[in-house]
């Protein structure tokens, strides 16, 4: 599936990629919690940055869930 997506994605494409509602993508973008840029009035997401963000988020959650971690 990822191979079918462009290098720079729209909010709709990111929502599909992450399997979350589009409204959640916009909320994450507005809060600065997901890597993105505004192009005019539209949000754009670099696929490699989203992949890195997912990896980093997963590692952070794993550290927090381990007893004695931190």
């Amino acid at each position: 599936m990822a191979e079918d997506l462009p290098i720079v994605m729209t909010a709709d494409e990111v929502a599909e990629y992450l399997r979350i509602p589009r409204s959640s993508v916009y909320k994450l973008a507005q809060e600065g919690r997901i890597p993105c840029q505004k192009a005019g009035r539209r949000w754009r997401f670099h696929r490699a940055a989203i992949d890195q963000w997912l990896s980093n988020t997963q590692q952070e959650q794993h550290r927090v869930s381990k007893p004695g971690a931190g």
Side-chain angles (χ1 to χ4, degrees), residues 63-69:
R63 279 194 303 260
V64 169
S65 66
K66 277 186 164 179

Side-chain angles (χ1 to χ4, degrees), residues 7 14-15 31 38-39 42 59 64 66:
I7 293 171
V14 171
E31 293 174 352
K38 266 212 149 167
R42 310 278 186 202
Q59 290 172 3
V64 169
K66 277 186 164 179

Side-chain angles (χ1 to χ4, degrees), residues 1 5 9-31 33-35 45 50 53-54 57 61:
M1 179 188 151
L5 292 170
M9 299 186 290
T10 66
D12 286 333
E13 291 166 333
V14 171
E16 181 181 332
Y17 186 51
L18 298 179
R19 297 180 183 205
I20 62 174
R22 183 176 56 180
S23 60
S24 296
V25 173
Y26 283 126
K27 184 176 180 180
L28 290 168
Q30 290 169 347
E31 293 174 352
R33 295 175 53 201
I34 191 170
F45 306 82
I50 297 296
W53 173 76
L54 281 173
T57 302
Q61 289 176 350

